[in-house]
Amino acid sequence: MSETYDFLFKFLVIGSAGTGKSCLLHQFIENKFKQDSNHTIGVEFGSKVVNVGGKTVKLQIWDTAGQERFRSVTRSYYRGAAGALLVYDITSRETYNALTNWLTDARTLASPNIVIILCGNKKDLDADREVTFLEASRFAQENELMFLETSALTGENVEEAFLKCARNILNKIESGELDPERMGSGIQYGDASLRQLRQPRGGLGKVLPLHWFQIPLDSEGESRPFLKNKPVPEMVSLARALLSTSPALLACSRYLCQSLCLYYANRYAVKFSTFESRS
Ligand SMILES: Nc1nc2c(ncn2[C@@H]2O[C@H](COP(=O)(O)OP(=O)(O)OP(=O)(O)O)[C@@H](O)[C@H]2O)c(=O)[nH]1
């Protein structure tokens, strides 16, 4: 069965042995708890297509072994990951204390820009807790990580952890902070977005560097084109073209507004996407 998706993100699941990494992946993909989970040998793999903020994203997830003896193997899989779940076990301070080492590995071997969500797993074992929610959330804040407590057993916050990480990556792509075109970004375009990018008839003959061009479409129908990242001259003229039509845009429906943007995006062979204005 062929899958269409807008993006593919490479994800890692890292953290000390026995924290529940394989169980988290299994719960996310199969929606059930993995009974009799054994230590992972090297690396295991899973994938799932999810819907994030109106985009279809395929998550390609590498579940790594936490045991020290596999470290040299697992490290070779870090390269080019866009996101990671960094897992500790709330009932084991030892796994929490090891977080700094895992973090250093992720940022040096994958990418300094890797988006990481810290997962305090085995939330269901609250009576045996050795790490408080508060101290872990402080650690997360200090290290610029997102944070959730999860339970692979009950499923609590498992899907949320993957989706939160994916949503953050998508936001960074849309704001221009992350460039999917950069080598080793851990992001690939899927069929759906490529279709949108196909050259129109009588097009420019070359695909321009791809930059995100965002137009807030809020409830008033207001359309203030603006550019993020480094605008290329073509993008500036695109912005001007849209600005000059703004009275018309103000009057027209969201649908028409989007069609017009799509028309220009196709014409200039640039990506077009929408997001909800939060004003
Ligand atoms: N109570 C509880 N037990 C869990 C949870 N997640 C995992 N476990 C148990 O923790 C143990 C280790 O789980 P794994 O998923 O194999 O751990 P891992 O992090 O993949 O371990 P390595 O592959 O060695 O790195 C197993 O006995 C699981 O049944 C959870 O959320 N709650």
Side-chain angles (χ1 to χ4, degrees):
M1 196 179 77
S2 74
E3 286 169 323
T4 46
Y5 48 85
D6 296 300
F7 293 102
L8 183 148
F9 296 164
K10 177 179 172 179
F11 266 35
L12 295 171
V13 189
I14 55 174
S16 299
T19 51
K21 298 181 296 297
S22 303
C23 290
L24 283 169
L25 179 61
H26 192 82
Q27 176 65 259
F28 176 57
I29 290 174
E30 304 286 336
N31 287 315
K32 55 181 184 239
F33 184 59
K34 185 184 188 188
Q35 300 291 346
D36 311 318
S37 179
N38 294 314
H39 283 299
T40 304
I41 295 172
V43 174
E44 282 168 13
F45 172 81
S47 73
K48 184 167 175 174
V49 177
V50 291
N51 196 295
V52 192
K55 291 270 182 288
T56 322
V57 180
K58 180 169 182 169
L59 301 180
Q60 185 189 75
I61 308 155
W62 299 89
D63 167 30
T64 61
Q67 287 179 304
E68 183 62 43
R69 64 196 171 109
F70 295 115
R71 203 60 63 85
S72 60
V73 181
T74 54
R75 277 187 172 138
S76 60
Y77 284 84
Y78 281 48
R79 218 175 116 80
L85 267 71
L86 171 57
V87 187
Y88 70 95
D89 173 352
I90 66 154
T91 71
S92 160
R93 179 153 293 276
E94 195 186 338
T95 66
Y96 177 78
N97 291 342
L99 288 175
T100 313
N101 289 338
W102 289 106
L103 200 54
T104 309
D105 268 8
R107 291 203 166 129
T108 50
L109 300 169
S111 146
N113 302 321
I114 185 170
V115 172
I116 303 174
I117 181 156
L118 178 65
C119 297
N121 193 38
K122 308 196 187 176
K123 187 179 194 293
D124 54 288
L125 298 178
D126 197 52
D128 304 322
R129 180 190 283 277
E130 287 186 3
V131 184
T132 67
F133 181 89
L134 193 65
E135 67 177 311
S137 54
R138 278 209 199 100
F139 176 86
Q141 226 169 18
E142 283 159 14
N143 290 283
E144 293 176 38
L145 310 170
M146 291 173 288
F147 173 56
L148 277 178
E149 283 192 343
T150 57
S151 170
L153 179 68
T154 66
E156 189 177 350
N157 280 343
V158 175
E159 185 166 38
E160 284 79 352
F162 285 93
L163 293 186
K164 208 170 154 95
C165 195
R167 199 173 301 121
N168 195 290
I169 296 169
L170 209 54
N171 287 344
K172 287 189 170 176
I173 294 173
E174 293 186 345
S175 70
E177 205 180 315
L178 259 179
D179 180 5
E181 301 282 297
R182 190 182 52 79
M183 278 275 286
S185 67
I187 302 161
Q188 286 172 28
Y189 293 112
D191 294 346
S193 58
L194 283 174
R195 243 203 317 277
Q196 213 175 328
L197 289 170
R198 202 162 290 152
Q199 277 284 62
R201 292 163 301 282
L204 298 175
K206 69 182 171 79
V207 176
L208 300 172
L210 301 172
H211 289 266
W212 287 94
F213 175 70
Q214 300 186 333
I215 302 157
L217 299 168
D218 55 30
S219 49
E220 281 84 50
E222 191 186 359
S223 195
R224 277 168 287 112
F226 63 94
L227 294 165
K228 289 226 166 158
N229 211 351
K230 301 160 246 39
V232 292
E234 287 83 354
M235 295 304 298
V236 176
S237 50
L238 173 55
R240 289 220 185 92
L242 284 164
L243 271 171
S244 65
T245 58
S246 65
L249 287 178
L250 278 171
C252 74
S253 72
R254 172 176 288 217
Y255 171 73
L256 281 175
C257 187
Q258 290 196 15
S259 325
L260 193 62
C261 298
L262 257 172
Y263 168 78
Y264 278 106
N266 272 330
R267 209 177 137 176
Y268 289 91
V270 294
K271 280 180 293 193
F272 170 69
S273 77
T274 60
F275 67 100
E276 297 297 324
S277 162
R278 253 163 271 149
S279 59

